[in-house]
Amino acid sequence: MNADDTTGAPRPAIPSPAPEAANPEPASPEPASAGPLRSETAGGRGRWGGLSGRLLALTVLFVMLSEVLIFVPSVANFRNTWLNDKLTIAGVAASVLVEVDMVAPEVQAELLRATGAVAIALDGGGRRRLIAMSEAPGEVRRLIDMGQMTPARAIAESFRTLLGGGGGLVRVVGPAQMGLGGRVDIVLPLDLLRDAMLAFSVRILALSLVISVITATLVYLSLRWLLVRPMQRLTRSMARFQEQPEDVARVIAPSGRADEMGDAERRLAEMQRTLAGTLQHQKRLADLGLAVSKINHDLRNLLAAAQLFSERLEQVADPTVQRLAPKIIATLDRAVAYTRSVLAYGSAREAPLKRRLVRLAMVVGDVREVLHLSTGDAVSFENRVPDGMEIDADPEQIFRILMNLCRNAAQAMTANGGPEVVRRITVEAARAGDVVEIRIKDTGPGIPPVLRGKLFQPFQSSAKSGGTGLGLAITAELVRAHGGSIRLVEGEGPGAQFEIRIPDREQGDARKP
């Protein structure tokens, strides 16, 4: 074989790609259909239908998706490397044989076997030199110029090769090696390239499956240890606490973790303790209601008998008896009325108010007489309510409000200190528009800070021995029934000071303008 175009030996030229086959339409892959993940247990409450199974499935899915994203550039890079290797082998051989006039058939066969090509040529310097050829090439379906290959084009051509059907030849052109000018031109069977790429894809798929299984297992075990098992522990604790919510022993014990799950455990434990205490408190209220209903029946009988005895006292001619008997009878009447209404406290529907215009100074005077307080006693009482002050309220309920507050103040002051301590209760009132503002002050020890936040809650505000903690709760409820408000005034002098605001009824009702 001659090494140049002037040789007399016949040399068939490497055919160019057929125009109609130069850019065949790539075959469209069939979309892969993936059925939805189904739970193996009804309702999705089993291991595989619950959070654990979903975490495992999502982990495998995301790992496989990442492997697919890695596979796309990898297969394109493999294709370029494979083709460049074939061009390198052909280029090295061409650089050695370019100066040889004749290439032995054995050398040609070995070169074609090493590259897998059916024809190899060197194109440069204005001449095309045929290095080796096994047989007359057939139709070339595609031309690949490695010198103009971009990453996007390489990816597109890779999937075109993988997904395209049929055989045929592909012509690959690339730069020459060993300092030679020009380019190497080889013709390869398209099936050879496709088989190499399929083998690479199978290896990548197998490796991806192994990586996916290992990664999914590690992620699944980690998430199960970090999230699923603590959540299952929280769920079990809530179910166990639900069986007996008043049992403090069923409150979850926080694991001591410093992350969000540990914070959830601590919050759940706090909520369960609060709920258990509330339920115990409600149970105490229910027991109290039952006890009061029993005591109330007998107490009403005793008060009825006391009323009969008091009515007989009115027949005694003694002036002191004649002065005190009406007050005793009025006090007993109030006690009987209280026994009728005591069970109404805390019920869904309170008895309706009977609001009237009331002389507030006279009500405050009645409270002082019932408590046996005066200016010269151990606990002095100052009624600073203007004589003409009128309040739109239920007479009995406003009496109970003032009675509870003044009695609490008197008991708090008499329980502390000697005769040198000043013990004084002051009741003041003023009208601001359609609202009457009443202030009850004392010079006692004041309200402890620990009780101020729950001052008007049942069984919470009693600081004295034997107290029930119901007085202020009843008072606050009666004030709210009038549409008013009550609060503890802080930072204004010694002792405790309560402020009560009672608004008049709305326009259209009988009231003092």
Side-chain angles (χ1 to χ4, degrees):
M1 176 187 298
N2 267 344
D4 53 27
D5 292 336
T6 60
T7 179
R11 182 182 60 81
I14 296 178
S16 298
E20 64 275 8
N23 294 297
E25 291 296 329
S28 298
E30 292 296 328
S33 59
L37 295 175
R38 297 182 180 274
S39 172
E40 291 187 3
T41 57
R45 300 186 65 85
R47 176 180 295 273
W48 302 111
L51 185 59
S52 300
R54 295 178 184 178
L55 283 175
L56 179 60
L58 288 176
T59 303
V60 173
L61 177 63
F62 292 148
V63 172
M64 290 300 297
L65 180 60
S66 64
E67 293 294 338
V68 169
L69 296 177
I70 294 174
F71 169 77
V72 170
S74 297
V75 71
N77 182 68
F78 171 80
R79 170 186 172 275
N80 291 345
T81 302
W82 191 87
L83 291 175
N84 284 325
D85 288 345
K86 300 301 181 183
L87 289 174
T88 300
I89 295 173
V92 171
S95 65
V96 174
L97 300 175
V98 68
E99 301 298 333
V100 180
D101 291 337
M102 296 292 294
V103 179
E106 295 81 6
V107 177
Q108 294 187 43
E110 182 62 25
L111 180 58
L112 294 174
R113 186 194 63 79
T115 59
V118 297
I120 303 174
L122 181 62
D123 188 3
R127 294 183 299 175
R128 180 187 294 274
R129 300 177 183 180
L130 182 63
I131 304 300
M133 185 175 66
S134 61
E135 58 185 16
E139 179 185 7
V140 176
R141 297 184 56 189
R142 196 175 303 167
L143 172 62
I144 301 176
D145 190 347
M146 299 303 296
Q148 299 179 358
M149 190 62 60
T150 61
R153 185 175 178 182
I155 292 175
E157 291 288 340
S158 298
F159 282 94
R160 180 182 176 188
T161 301
L162 281 174
L163 303 176
L169 300 174
V170 58
R171 181 181 174 187
V172 185
V173 180
Q177 305 292 324
M178 304 293 289
L180 294 175
R183 303 197 302 174
V184 179
D185 194 343
I186 64 175
V187 177
L188 297 168
L190 189 59
D191 289 339
L192 185 65
L193 175 59
R194 182 183 295 109
D195 292 342
M197 294 177 66
L198 288 175
F200 174 79
S201 301
V202 171
R203 293 194 299 271
I204 287 292
L205 177 61
L207 180 62
S208 299
L209 288 175
V210 173
I211 294 176
S212 298
V213 170
I214 295 176
T215 305
T217 302
L218 293 177
V219 173
Y220 169 74
L221 293 177
S222 300
L223 291 177
R224 182 170 176 79
W225 178 71
L226 289 173
L227 295 177
V228 178
R229 293 185 63 185
M231 291 181 67
Q232 290 175 342
R233 180 170 180 264
L234 290 176
T235 304
R236 288 194 298 269
S237 173
M238 288 187 285
R240 183 169 175 266
F241 183 79
Q242 184 181 12
E243 296 174 356
Q244 292 184 352
E246 71 279 358
D247 187 2
V248 183
R250 294 176 179 260
V251 174
I252 186 173
S255 59
R257 292 175 54 166
D259 55 5
E260 290 81 358
M261 193 59 66
D263 184 60
E265 291 175 347
R266 290 187 290 272
R267 294 296 181 90
L268 177 61
E270 182 181 353
M271 182 190 69
Q272 288 177 337
R273 282 192 292 267
T274 302
L275 180 58
T278 302
L279 291 176
Q280 291 176 353
H281 176 65
Q282 295 295 331
K283 186 176 183 298
R284 183 181 176 188
L285 282 176
D287 294 341
L288 175 64
L290 180 60
V292 168
S293 64
K294 295 177 180 179
I295 297 172
N296 187 58
H297 180 269
D298 296 336
L299 182 60
R300 288 178 63 186
N301 294 335
L302 293 175
L303 290 175
Q307 281 181 312
L308 293 176
F309 296 144
S310 300
E311 290 174 356
R312 293 182 181 179
L313 288 176
E314 291 181 326
Q315 301 175 5
V316 178
D318 186 275
T320 303
V321 174
Q322 290 293 323
R323 182 174 62 85
L324 295 178
K327 297 184 179 296
I328 295 175
I329 294 175
T331 303
L332 289 174
D333 289 339
R334 284 196 178 102
V336 172
Y338 292 166
T339 60
R340 295 193 188 101
S341 61
V342 67
L343 290 178
Y345 173 74
S347 63
R349 184 176 61 87
E350 297 288 345
L353 297 177
K354 297 179 181 179
R355 300 184 70 158
R356 303 289 301 274
L357 285 178
V358 180
R359 293 184 177 88
L360 184 58
M362 294 185 63
V363 177
V364 175
D366 289 343
V367 171
R368 180 182 61 186
E369 291 188 1
V370 170
L371 292 177
H372 301 288
L373 301 177
S374 63
T375 305
D377 292 337
V379 177
S380 62
F381 190 98
E382 295 185 6
N383 184 355
R384 297 183 182 177
V385 179
D387 292 337
M389 173 68 65
E390 296 180 356
I391 184 172
D392 184 10
D394 186 309
E396 290 299 325
Q397 305 296 11
I398 197 65
F399 176 85
R400 291 178 65 187
I401 292 171
L402 298 175
M403 182 72 177
N404 283 334
L405 293 175
C406 293
R407 183 177 59 238
N408 287 349
Q411 291 175 346
M413 288 187 291
T414 55
N416 294 277
E420 72 281 359
V421 177
V422 176
R423 299 177 176 88
R424 180 173 58 250
I425 298 174
T426 305
V427 181
E428 301 174 342
R431 174 173 285 275
D434 59 351
V435 176
V436 174
E437 189 175 283
I438 307 172
R439 290 206 173 196
I440 297 94
K441 308 176 185 178
D442 65 59
T443 58
I447 305 297
V450 69
L451 296 179
R452 292 175 185 175
K454 50 186 178 180
L455 195 59
F456 300 105
Q457 299 178 14
F459 307 114
Q460 301 293 329
S461 60
S462 177
K464 60 182 181 295
S465 176
T468 62
L470 284 174
L472 289 179
I474 294 174
T475 300
E477 178 139 345
L478 296 176
V479 171
R480 287 193 296 268
H482 284 80
S485 62
I486 180 172
R487 69 183 182 96
L488 174 68
V489 181
E490 301 183 28
E492 293 190 12
Q497 182 177 169
F498 288 90
E499 179 186 271
I500 302 170
R501 294 173 60 86
I502 303 293
D504 295 341
R505 281 172 287 181
E506 296 180 357
Q507 295 290 339
D509 295 331
R511 63 175 176 84
K512 181 179 176 62

